[in-house]
Amino acid sequence: MSDVELPPLNLVEVQRSVAAELDRIAPVIDELGALFEAAGHELVLVGGPVRDAMLGRRHNDLDFATSARPDATERLLKKWAGATWDMGRAFGTIGCRKGDWVVEVTTYRSETYDPTSRKPDVDFGDSLTGDLGRRDFTVNAMAVRVPGREVEDPYGGVVDLAHRVLRTPGRPEDSFSDDPLRMMRAARFAAQLGFGVDPSVVAAMTAMADRILIISAERVRDELVKLVCAPYPRLGLALLVETGLAAHVLPELPALALERDEHHRHKDVYEHTLTVLEQAIDLEDRLGGEPDFISRFAALMHDVGKPRTRRFVDDGTVTFHHHDVVGAKMTRKRMKALRFSNDQIEAVGHLVELHLRFHGYGTGEWTDSAVRRYVRDAGDQLERLHVLTRADCTTRNQRKADRLRRSYDDLEARIARLSEEEELASMRPDLDGNQIMGILGIGPGREIGQAYQFLLELRMDRGPLEPEVAEAELRAWWAARSVE
């Protein structure tokens, strides 16, 4: 996965893919095209659906551009669709749904930008070429006229698509000055499509990287999530680091490229991290098979604490003590800055904090108590922790890799056995709060929580206990506590 070398596309195959996709979506493009044509307006299929049709990918969400103004578009769509909406009216967009099809139609636009903002002043235009010229990349600046199905490609998008390269319709400096988020989109499309990026685009991204700072954290976050969940995230992440964008949006990543000491006493943490990410992706069938952002981002962030904790020891070794705890704190701080939800922050931070836990148990002779604690501490992130721990083995020593794999196989088998016997996922003390209060003769308060925690620790150490045994242990603990 790391060495993405996709061959150029065959133009004949591209034409066949487009024809097949246009036939599939004919119920939409033929009917809508005829409807707009009869009203004296142009209608063209644009953007991602055209690009993906050439790549053989299917969409039921279709984007169109039109010479019609929004009011006229809305009247026409109401004749065709079951439901319409106009949340994007200020930008010229009217949406609708008909059966399984979701359609958005946007009036041709000609936008101007304030250099201090990415929000455009929207002016409606009458030229398809002008509308396409304002788009981010040539592969997204192609259109198909409907109902006639003529391909419009004024900026060479078909050739760029065939060569799998991202270029801007005009000067990249102008494009990124207008909308700096397009720099993040370049990295995202590289990751999604497996495309290379034209050197002029890379140069402009590098020179203008700090322009990304005017973009809201939420918009940057959304692009980052799409990049990380793409088929080739290494391509996008490497581009962010190479151009300096990562220094602004995810500075923990380039910081992993630690300077090698002269004796090469530690491996390249940056390359290790990207490999762990790819290996976590290869294990996603354990999580349902779909791209899992939490698992992937935990893999990306799992070692971010290493730069701050690196120490060289007199015996020639290098240590990163407590980089798991430090890294979890850094991860939570970065995700909070990017406006991730509290649940996402906690899930990723928890995984980073636990990613070394397996290695803390030596050579694999796990006691039942240790297994229970591992499951309890992982909580609802146990399956993702399995993935992260397995992915975190990048050693080239095959014997060591096999040994670690067997040890983790054994641990998972132990977890499965104990789970079946003891219901580990819902592990609780053998006595509940009401029973504790009844036995100790006290009401609700801090002592009940302490007693509950004592019994939970006892449960993890010794497994399920009979009620009378648990009661005796509780009374003994209470008596000893009273003496203290």
Side-chain angles (χ1 to χ4, degrees):
M1 183 182 295
S2 58
D3 300 322
V4 180
E5 280 285 344
L6 299 178
L9 294 172
N10 183 296
L11 288 177
V12 173
E13 290 299 322
V14 168
Q15 292 172 337
R16 288 175 180 166
S17 294
V18 172
E21 179 63 0
L22 293 180
D23 285 342
R24 186 184 74 87
I25 64 176
V28 178
I29 62 175
D30 290 351
E31 292 179 17
L32 274 181
L35 191 63
F36 275 73
E37 186 176 60
H41 303 296
E42 295 179 358
L43 185 70
V44 293
L45 185 69
V46 293
V50 178
R51 178 198 69 221
D52 287 346
M54 295 181 177
L55 293 171
R57 301 179 178 185
R58 295 185 166 190
H59 277 279
N60 274 21
D61 293 359
L62 303 177
D63 295 326
F64 294 86
T66 181
S67 59
R69 295 301 189 256
D71 288 346
T73 296
E74 186 174 36
R75 285 195 300 270
L76 292 169
L77 290 181
K78 284 184 174 179
K79 295 179 181 179
W80 178 78
T84 62
W85 54 88
D86 66 350
M87 285 87 75
R89 180 184 292 274
F91 295 95
T93 301
I94 306 296
C96 69
R97 176 187 292 276
K98 183 174 183 178
D100 293 333
W101 304 100
V102 176
V103 167
E104 288 193 342
V105 182
T106 302
T107 301
Y108 293 158
R109 298 195 303 215
S110 174
E111 298 171 347
T112 57
Y113 287 79
D114 180 334
T116 63
S117 171
R118 75 165 301 269
K119 295 180 180 179
D121 295 322
V122 178
D123 294 320
F124 297 138
D126 298 304
S127 162
L128 172 60
T129 300
D131 183 86
L132 295 178
R134 70 174 182 79
R135 295 175 184 267
D136 50 10
F137 302 104
T138 60
V139 296
N140 296 329
M142 301 178 288
V144 176
R145 291 187 181 274
V146 294
R149 302 194 183 184
E150 300 96 351
V151 174
E152 296 284 348
D153 181 24
Y155 300 101
V158 172
V159 173
D160 288 342
L161 189 88
H163 289 94
R164 300 183 187 273
V165 64
L166 293 173
R167 262 190 329 110
T168 54
R171 288 184 355 114
E173 292 84 0
D174 295 336
S175 180
F176 298 153
S177 178
D178 284 348
D179 185 358
L181 189 65
R182 289 171 177 168
M183 296 187 288
M184 289 291 297
R185 287 168 65 84
R188 189 248 289 185
F189 282 126
Q192 286 182 330
L193 303 173
F195 280 20
V197 182
D198 186 82
S200 67
V201 174
V202 175
M205 292 171 66
T206 303
M208 304 175 68
D210 61 354
R211 284 278 294 161
I212 200 67
L213 295 174
I214 72 170
I215 304 298
S216 72
E218 291 84 357
R219 299 299 298 274
V220 170
R221 175 202 64 206
D222 291 347
E223 290 296 328
L224 186 61
V225 169
K226 293 174 184 176
L227 188 163
V228 170
C229 291
Y232 312 105
R234 178 188 282 261
L235 288 179
L237 293 167
L239 183 61
L240 292 181
V241 171
E242 175 189 352
T243 58
L245 275 165
H248 298 295
V249 302
L250 194 65
E252 295 79 8
L253 184 59
L256 292 175
L258 299 169
E259 291 184 11
R260 288 290 194 98
D261 62 284
E262 59 179 338
H263 301 294
H264 297 276
R265 288 176 289 185
H266 64 84
K267 58 189 172 185
D268 187 325
V269 183
Y270 172 71
E271 286 297 326
H272 163 76
T273 294
L274 295 181
T275 301
V276 172
L277 170 60
E278 291 176 329
Q279 292 185 168
I281 293 172
D282 291 339
L283 292 169
E284 279 182 331
D285 59 315
R286 300 169 63 103
L287 303 174
E290 295 298 317
D292 185 81
F293 173 75
I294 299 298
S295 175
R296 293 188 183 197
F297 203 61
L300 188 62
M301 301 295 284
H302 80 284
D303 272 349
V304 296
K306 280 191 170 180
R308 292 191 183 178
T309 58
R310 182 174 64 161
R311 300 290 183 272
F312 295 110
V313 186
D314 292 339
D315 64 3
T317 59
V318 62
T319 66
F320 302 97
H321 292 315
H322 307 301
H323 78 267
D324 46 347
V325 177
V326 172
K329 184 176 180 180
M330 293 170 63
T331 296
R332 291 185 173 103
K333 183 177 180 181
R334 176 57 49 199
M335 294 185 72
K336 184 176 181 180
L338 288 170
R339 305 290 193 269
F340 281 95
S341 70
N342 290 337
D343 287 345
Q344 290 173 306
I345 294 171
E346 183 51 37
V348 176
H350 195 49
L351 288 167
V352 172
E353 196 165 19
L354 293 177
H355 82 272
L356 291 181
R357 187 64 60 89
F358 167 70
H359 302 284
Y361 286 94
T363 57
E365 294 84 8
W366 288 58
T367 63
D368 285 354
S369 173
V371 174
R372 294 186 193 104
R373 291 178 187 279
Y374 192 81
V375 173
R376 192 279 307 267
D377 290 347
D380 61 1
Q381 299 303 316
L382 181 61
E383 289 303 319
R384 288 182 174 128
L385 183 58
H386 291 334
V387 167
L388 178 57
T389 304
R390 289 182 179 277
D392 195 22
C393 176
T394 62
T395 179
R396 295 181 181 178
N397 183 328
Q398 193 58 48
R399 292 173 62 184
K400 181 179 179 181
D402 289 343
R403 183 175 71 251
L404 288 171
R405 177 182 51 76
R406 287 194 300 269
S407 294
Y408 209 84
D409 287 344
D410 290 344
L411 172 59
E412 287 202 62
R414 294 278 300 285
I415 290 173
R417 179 178 62 77
L418 282 178
S419 293
E420 185 176 351
E421 295 173 359
E422 303 181 13
E423 299 182 353
L424 292 186
S426 56
M427 186 163 36
R428 292 180 175 81
D430 298 288
L431 301 173
D432 62 26
N434 289 327
Q435 291 171 308
I436 292 171
M437 288 188 287
I439 291 169
L440 300 182
I442 59 176
R446 181 165 54 88
E447 291 87 353
I448 299 302
Q450 293 171 342
Y452 188 93
Q453 188 61 37
F454 163 75
L455 289 171
L456 181 59
E457 293 291 330
L458 193 67
R459 167 75 171 76
M460 285 188 289
D461 284 338
R462 294 167 53 179
L465 300 176
E466 293 298 325
E468 58 271 17
V469 176
E471 179 178 344
E473 293 288 350
L474 175 63
R475 291 185 181 279
W477 170 81
W478 183 252
R481 185 177 178 281
S482 299
V483 170
E484 294 175 2

